[in-house]
Amino acid sequence: MPLHVWSSAKYAFPLSDGHRFPIEKYIMLRDRVVQEGIVAPEHVHDPEPSSREDLLLVHTTDYVDRFTEGQLSADEIRRIGFPWSPALVERSYRAAGGTLGAANHALANGIAMNLAGGTHHAFPDHGEGFCVFNDVAVAIRVLQRDRRISRAAIIDLDVHQGNGTHAVFAHDTSVFTFSMHGGRNYPFHKVPGRLDIELADRTGDDDFLSLLADALPRVLAESRADLVIYLAGADPLEHDRLGRLALTSHGLARRDALVIDQCREVGMPVAITIAGGYAHPIDESVSAHVTTARIASRFA
Ligand SMILES: [Zn+2]
């Protein structure tokens, strides 16, 4: 089975030149996985936008409707970090739909990837840190509602803690939330998940990989998950502008292989989202996301 991915031209939206978010990476990534022969063009799926009903399984009506209609306050918009526009609304609905599409495909075929998503700083009633809707939480809630899964695990290896995701599932024992992240990095107020591992600044490959190898068996055993959603953030890389860790691209590739291999070894389907990556120039982050897709393709 070849690797199937979800991606939309609408994942990118206009930002001013000085904006620090690398919006171009979504299109670069989509182009490169096809150019490098990792994904066949016919296996790049355009996601359906999430329905309002699906978003409301996680988010409050007030937040979803005011965001959609451009009614958030200036403070709420500032916290998200993007200027509001209809294109931002379109992207946010599509990116959440892409994670659901990939999760659905993974349930049937073992593995799939959204070339976006992992917007783990989105809380039920607000967004922050470049995250509007919590795509991972929405996908899990939809699949539970539709009785496709009962239990899930989230393996969040973006360098920032998934505070929004942890808040969504704080009292839900059906979803095991695991995060490894920079202890001194954003978000400065961490929300406890089921298993949090805080990393010191400048943590490198060996320490990162040994902590991960120790934790993964516990996550998989205790979660008894029907589906794993993996946030394969590229921001633990040494040269990431927002990272503070010191992983090499080789270490990051070993990380991806370890996670995917262990999940597939015990028969758990894996849906992958790309999460963060803010290297300058952005090519290094894009290359890391491409490598994640290449490794995933070996398990497809
Ligand atoms: Zn991040």
Side-chain angles (χ1 to χ4, degrees):
M1 275 296 294
L3 182 66
H4 287 243
V5 301
W6 273 254
S7 180
S8 167
K10 290 173 178 159
Y11 281 178
F13 60 96
L15 280 176
S16 63
D17 285 348
H19 200 285
R20 66 190 182 132
F21 189 84
I23 195 68
E24 66 277 19
K25 82 171 181 176
Y26 298 93
I27 304 305
M28 293 167 74
L29 174 59
R30 173 193 174 107
D31 289 348
R32 279 191 52 189
V33 295
V34 172
Q35 278 161 13
E36 297 185 23
I38 298 165
V39 182
E42 64 271 27
H43 298 146
V44 180
H45 303 278
D46 214 336
E48 290 292 317
S50 279
S51 68
R52 176 174 178 273
E53 186 188 0
D54 287 358
L55 295 174
L56 295 182
L57 295 171
V58 168
H59 296 285
T60 63
T61 308
D62 176 67
Y63 174 59
V64 170
D65 289 350
R66 287 192 304 112
F67 169 73
T68 305
E69 288 153 21
Q71 305 291 329
L72 295 184
S73 70
D75 275 353
E76 289 174 298
I77 288 291
R78 201 171 305 122
R79 212 165 168 190
I80 289 171
F82 294 131
W84 185 90
S85 66
L88 176 65
V89 174
E90 179 76 27
R91 167 213 160 75
S92 303
Y93 277 73
R94 295 256 176 199
T99 297
L100 179 60
N104 257 314
H105 188 87
L107 282 176
N109 300 283
I111 196 163
M113 184 166 177
N114 182 13
L115 303 183
T119 41
H120 56 173
H121 303 307
F123 286 72
D125 64 350
H126 74 274
E128 60 181 61
F130 306 132
C131 300
V132 175
F133 296 137
N134 198 307
D135 59 306
V136 171
V138 170
I140 289 171
R141 287 272 195 253
V142 168
L143 294 168
Q144 287 180 322
R145 178 198 64 198
D146 296 346
R147 304 197 185 286
R148 304 277 317 280
I149 63 170
S150 52
R151 306 181 60 82
I154 298 168
I155 296 177
D156 187 342
L157 302 184
D158 186 276
V159 81
H160 305 102
Q161 197 216 27
N163 53 347
T165 312
H166 290 186
V168 171
F169 295 116
H171 305 290
D172 184 345
T173 55
S174 73
V175 180
F176 193 108
T177 49
F178 166 50
S179 174
M180 269 175 69
H181 50 265
R184 295 186 55 219
N185 209 325
Y186 172 90
F188 302 108
H189 173 71
K190 310 281 194 287
V191 177
R194 280 284 283 285
L195 178 59
D196 285 288
I197 297 178
E198 302 230 312
L199 303 167
D201 285 358
R202 305 293 302 162
T203 295
D205 293 350
D206 290 346
D207 289 340
F208 186 99
L209 291 167
S210 85
L211 287 165
L212 178 62
D214 284 347
L216 278 175
R218 178 186 157 194
V219 173
L220 301 184
E222 285 187 25
S223 69
R224 293 177 287 121
D226 304 308
L227 171 72
V228 174
I229 300 190
Y230 172 35
L231 286 78
D235 46 14
L237 281 176
E238 181 173 15
H239 300 301
D240 194 275
R241 287 178 301 127
L242 306 180
R244 307 179 74 113
L245 300 190
L247 269 71
T248 66
S249 53
H250 181 63
L252 211 64
R254 286 168 62 201
R255 174 200 72 168
D256 293 340
L258 185 64
V259 171
I260 298 169
D261 183 56
Q262 291 220 3
C263 293
R264 298 305 298 134
E265 185 71 30
V266 297
M268 289 182 185
V270 190
I272 303 168
T273 65
I274 69 166
Y278 310 94
H280 185 74
I282 196 61
D283 305 69
E284 196 180 335
S285 301
V286 174
S287 292
H289 297 313
V290 170
T291 299
T292 304
R294 184 176 291 113
I295 292 167
S297 74
R298 294 189 196 128
F299 292 85

